[in-house]
């Protein structure tokens, strides 16, 4: 339980002062008699990085699905920037600044890297169909897409087909697609899944930059514990659909209940 996170153990456990950007209260989801997320509650401060960990099947992806509106909430609430979004559609949540990536890779393989990102930028820019505004919006979408690709260090692959990218580059592309929608809060579900060891460092730096330099709030599920614990301000531990612990990386990894949940194999 030692390591680079140990020195963070004295940090405060509460989120920094200021109105939370995300408030989750009593969040529960029951499907066909099975409770897959049970009474989960926590607040996230603007600019905070919260790691979400837990054994396979613990409910991490389901939690993200509830936050992003892909799963119906049975009871409880989700508040984004003071607005109750518990029943809002995924698109409405995205417009309010909540963005996410998926555990399985999801890009248009037959489009170029740049086109994939530009589509997302165009969707965000929305607006009127008047031709003169359309041109301006298209120019702007190119600009936003170019910046997002540079941000994830994929500018040099802009004209490649998305389907031809390595796993690591596909993950970067997904991040660029997300950034093109300019989300205040980003939910990253296993962004390192399928990424080769050599690519993990580069992707970690990109995610750290999105958080620290751009000031976006990040919630991230990841099985690469070393990466996650190095980035996170706090760690939420899911277990059997419930929130088992929410604390600093140092305190969470030293928590006997957390160690028990993992049976010693992941931490
Ligand atoms: N739409 C659904 N309908 C029924 N059961 C579901 C649904 N989505 C998830 N579940 C169940 O909820 C539980 C939690 O699954 P979830 O995918 O959230 O776990 P996870 O923590 O993300 O796991 P992993 O680390 O393997 O990705 C599992 O038992 C899963 O089978
Ligand atoms: Mg999952």
């Amino acid at each position: 339980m030692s390591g680079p996170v140990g020195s963070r153990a004295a940090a405060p456990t509460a989120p920094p002062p200021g109105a939370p950007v995300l408030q989750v209260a009593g969040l529960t989801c029951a499907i066909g008699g099975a409770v897959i997320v049970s009474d989960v509650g926590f607040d996230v401060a603007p600019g905070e990085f919260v790691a979400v960990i837990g054994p396979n099947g613990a409910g991490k992806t389901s939690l993200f699905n509830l936050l992003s509106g892909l799963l119906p909430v049975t009871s409880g609430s989700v508040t984004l920037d003071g607005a109750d979004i518990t029943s809002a559609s995924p698109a409405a949540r995205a417009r309010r600044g909540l963005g996410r990536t998926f555990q399985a890779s999801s890009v248009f393989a037959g489009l170029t890297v740049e086109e994939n990102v530009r589509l997302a930028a165009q969707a965000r820019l929305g607006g009127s169909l008047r031709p003169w505004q359309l041109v301006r919006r298209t120019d702007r979408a190119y600009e936003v897409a170019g910046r997002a690709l540079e941000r994830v260090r994929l500018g040099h692959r802009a004209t490649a087909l998305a389907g031809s990218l390595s796993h690591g580059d596909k993950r970067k592309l997904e991040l660029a697609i997300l950034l093109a929608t300019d989300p205040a809060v980003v939910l990253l579900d296993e962004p390192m899944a399928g990424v080769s060891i050599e690519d993990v460092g580069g992707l970690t730096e990109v995610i750290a930059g999105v958080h620290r330099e751009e000031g976006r709030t990040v919630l991230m599920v990841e099985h690469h514990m070393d990466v996650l614990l190095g980035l996170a301000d706090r760690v939420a531990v899911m277990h059997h659909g419930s929130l088992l612990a929410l604390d600093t990386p140092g305190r969470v990894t030293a928590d006997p209940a957390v160690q028990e949940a993992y049976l010693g194999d992941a931490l």
Side-chain angles (χ1 to χ4, degrees), residues 55-62 100 103 189-190 221 223:
N56 291 121
K60 305 178 297 295
T61 296
S62 301
R100 71 168 292 176
Q103 191 167 351
D189 195 357
E190 298 197 31
V221 175
H223 287 291

Side-chain angles (χ1 to χ4, degrees), residues 167 216 223 239:
H167 251 306
R216 298 183 204 271
H223 287 291
H239 189 46

Side-chain angles (χ1 to χ4, degrees), residues 15-217:
V21 65
L22 185 67
Q23 293 167 283
V24 179
L27 199 62
T28 299
C29 176
I31 298 179
V35 179
I36 59 176
V37 171
S38 175
D39 196 23
V40 168
F42 58 90
D43 287 357
V44 180
E48 201 182 4
F49 195 123
V50 177
V52 181
I53 66 169
N56 291 121
K60 305 178 297 295
T61 296
S62 301
L63 173 64
F64 278 15
N65 286 343
L66 289 168
L67 298 180
S68 54
L70 295 176
L71 261 183
V73 170
T74 305
S75 58
S77 64
V78 182
T79 307
L80 181 66
D81 241 343
D84 186 333
I85 57 159
T86 313
S87 322
S89 68
R93 292 175 205 228
R95 279 195 299 276
R96 284 187 171 277
L98 185 73
R100 71 168 292 176
T101 60
F102 290 88
Q103 191 167 351
S105 198
S106 55
V107 298
F108 292 112
L111 296 182
T112 68
V113 165
E114 193 272 341
E115 284 164 342
N116 265 281
V117 185
R118 188 151 43 86
L119 272 180
Q122 258 157 352
R124 170 174 70 98
L125 295 169
S128 117
L129 286 176
R130 293 190 184 104
W132 60 93
Q133 292 188 353
L134 197 62
V135 171
R136 198 181 310 150
R137 200 174 78 222
T138 305
D139 286 350
R140 178 95 183 96
Y142 272 105
E143 196 185 307
V144 169
R147 236 194 353 253
L149 283 175
E150 288 305 326
R151 192 78 194 85
V152 304
R153 302 173 191 172
L154 217 49
H156 63 294
R157 301 303 314 269
T159 58
L161 283 182
S164 72
L165 296 181
S166 69
H167 251 306
D169 282 351
K170 266 194 197 126
R171 290 302 187 169
K172 287 182 186 165
L173 172 56
E174 286 169 312
L175 215 46
I177 290 169
L178 182 64
L179 294 178
T181 65
D182 195 24
V185 178
V186 299
L187 310 178
L188 306 177
D189 195 357
E190 298 197 31
M192 313 283 177
V195 171
S196 66
I197 290 294
E198 313 84 77
D199 280 345
V200 166
L203 203 47
T204 303
E205 278 175 36
V206 167
I207 292 170
V210 165
H211 170 236
R212 297 200 187 115
E213 291 153 32
E214 298 185 8
R216 298 183 204 271
T217 306

